[in-house]
């Protein structure tokens, strides 16, 4: 059985992951509106990954005999000044999510909930990847700067991201 504090925190994380999906779908829509369809594809795949993250927590709470309680998802931002600004936002968001995962691990240890601590290890590793990937794209966009040809080439690369594949561009 999950303790109440742990169940509450895991339910809040389901909301946070679904909010991440909503945010990245919003970024995808922004890229669609600026005709960067490769970037839009990348963010759409990312949004689906976030739904998968939410579902890992959903299944885990149920597997432990807990109760999933879904709550309202905050609206995401809808506009960004540039592709770089959008990915800097994504990187900041992933750092925020990493902090949340760390806090969950801390709570699992405090509660001596070893099963949850073990479950969370997948997310600890995943967040290292998520931050590294977002950071890599931010650095590439900084290198490209205002160069339209560079952005065009990168957009073609971003179009190649497939659902379930490695997030690296
Ligand atoms: Fe679910 Fe991008 O972290």
């Amino acid at each position: 059985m999950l303790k109440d504090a742990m169940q509450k925190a895991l339910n809040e994380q389901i909301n946070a992951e679904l909010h991440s999906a909503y945010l990245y779908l919003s970024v995808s829509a922004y890229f669609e509106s600026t005709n960067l369809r490769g970037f839009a594809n990348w963010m759409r795949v990312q949004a689906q990954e976030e739904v998968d993250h939410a579902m890992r927590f959903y299944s885990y709470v149920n597997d432990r005999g807990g109760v999933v309680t879904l709550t309202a998802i905050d609206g995401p931002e809808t506009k960004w000044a540039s592709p770089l600004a959008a990915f800097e936002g994504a990187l900041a968001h992933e750092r925020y999510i990493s902090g949340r995962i760390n806090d969950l691990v801390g709570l699992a240890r405090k509660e001596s909930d070893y099963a949850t601590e073990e479950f969370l290890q997948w997310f600890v590793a995943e967040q290292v990847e998520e931050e590294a990937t977002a950071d890599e794209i931010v650095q590439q966009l900084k290198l490209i700067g205002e160069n339209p040809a560079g952005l065009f080439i990168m957009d073609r690369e971003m179009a190649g991201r497939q659902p379930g594949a490695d997030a690296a561009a």
Side-chain angles (χ1 to χ4, degrees), residues 51 59 97 140:
V51 173
S59 296
I97 294 292
Q140 286 175 4

Side-chain angles (χ1 to χ4, degrees), residues 3-139:
K3 290 185 182 162
D4 286 349
M6 200 72 244
Q7 176 173 290
K8 181 170 179 289
L10 292 170
N11 270 305
E12 286 168 357
Q13 192 61 26
I14 293 173
N15 183 286
E17 299 290 351
L18 289 174
H19 177 260
S20 300
Y22 215 28
L23 172 63
Y24 293 141
L25 198 55
S26 185
V27 181
S28 182
Y30 155 73
F31 281 128
E32 292 278 2
S33 75
T34 56
N35 296 313
L36 289 168
R37 305 206 66 188
F39 281 90
N41 168 69
W42 194 98
M43 276 294 175
R44 197 152 132 173
V45 173
Q46 186 63 28
Q48 186 56 52
E49 267 203 10
E50 300 299 350
V51 173
D52 294 345
H53 292 173
M55 292 312 295
R56 278 181 184 253
F57 282 101
Y58 178 97
S59 296
Y60 179 74
V61 170
N62 286 323
D63 287 350
R64 291 290 308 280
V67 177
V68 169
T69 308
L70 298 178
T71 51
I73 301 167
D74 289 340
E77 290 176 76
T78 55
K79 286 191 174 69
W80 289 267
S82 64
L84 175 60
F87 268 93
E88 283 177 333
L91 176 57
H93 184 74
E94 287 305 328
R95 287 177 175 154
Y96 162 72
I97 294 292
S98 297
R100 293 189 61 102
I101 298 291
N102 285 346
D103 289 348
L104 285 171
V105 173
L107 180 61
R109 286 189 182 163
K110 182 165 154 271
E111 302 272 346
S112 299
D113 186 342
Y114 303 117
T116 300
E117 189 179 342
E118 173 68 18
F119 164 76
L120 289 167
Q121 291 313 303
W122 185 90
F123 285 94
V124 171
E126 175 71 4
Q127 283 310 119
V128 172
E129 284 298 312
E130 296 269 79
E131 284 191 37
T133 303
D135 189 44
E136 188 185 331
I137 295 170
V138 164
Q139 298 312 320

